[in-house]
Amino acid sequence: RSLRKASRGDCRALTSQLKSEWGATFQRTVRQLTNDKEALQSRLESIAGEERTKTEAESRERERRAVEIERERLTAVLRENQKSWEERDREVRSRYKTTLDQLVL
């Protein structure tokens, strides 16, 4: 009987000790997991920021290229128009000179 009482007392003490140790271990584990989660969240936000920066840079590069292509197109149109105006100018001058020569005669 006294052995049973001692065993029960030992069991209670051991149970109490195990609960205390388990509780402390559980709390440490929760803190570590919380810290890990926060570190991962921070890294995820950092990666998202890097992706936004990369996407913005790619977008700026596409826009720059589109502007460059449009500039090249407009330059070509301008050259064609300039050639056309130069041809018209020569024609008008030629007609003017012919008309002037006829008037002088």
Side-chain angles (χ1 to χ4, degrees), residues 8-21:
R8 283 187 203 150
D10 289 345
C11 283
R12 286 186 187 127
L14 186 57
T15 301
S16 177
Q17 182 182 353
L18 286 174
K19 283 182 178 179
S20 175
E21 288 176 6

Side-chain angles (χ1 to χ4, degrees), residues 15-105:
T15 301
S16 177
Q17 182 182 353
L18 286 174
K19 283 182 178 179
S20 175
E21 288 176 6
W22 183 85
T25 301
F26 179 76
Q27 288 176 352
R28 278 194 306 275
T29 302
V30 167
R31 273 195 306 273
Q32 185 60 50
L33 289 173
T34 301
N35 290 342
D36 291 351
K37 177 187 165 208
E38 289 171 358
L40 288 172
Q41 182 64 33
S42 175
R43 181 64 184 131
L44 184 61
E45 289 169 2
S46 173
I47 289 170
E50 291 168 8
E51 285 298 314
R52 271 193 304 277
T53 301
K54 181 180 174 185
T55 302
E56 289 167 358
E58 290 170 349
S59 177
R60 283 191 303 273
E61 178 58 26
R62 281 192 301 274
E63 186 175 337
R64 186 196 65 76
R65 184 66 187 134
V67 167
E68 187 177 306
I69 289 168
E70 182 65 7
R71 182 181 55 80
E72 290 170 0
R73 186 188 73 76
L74 291 174
T75 300
V77 168
L78 182 61
R79 276 192 212 114
E80 288 302 313
N81 284 345
Q82 188 173 356
K83 286 178 187 175
S84 176
W85 282 106
E86 287 171 356
E87 288 173 15
R88 277 192 189 158
D89 185 55
R90 280 193 295 275
E91 288 174 11
V92 168
R93 286 176 189 265
S94 174
R95 274 190 256 143
Y96 177 76
K97 186 175 184 316
T98 303
T99 302
L100 191 60
D101 286 346
Q102 288 174 353
L103 288 174
V104 171
L105 294 175

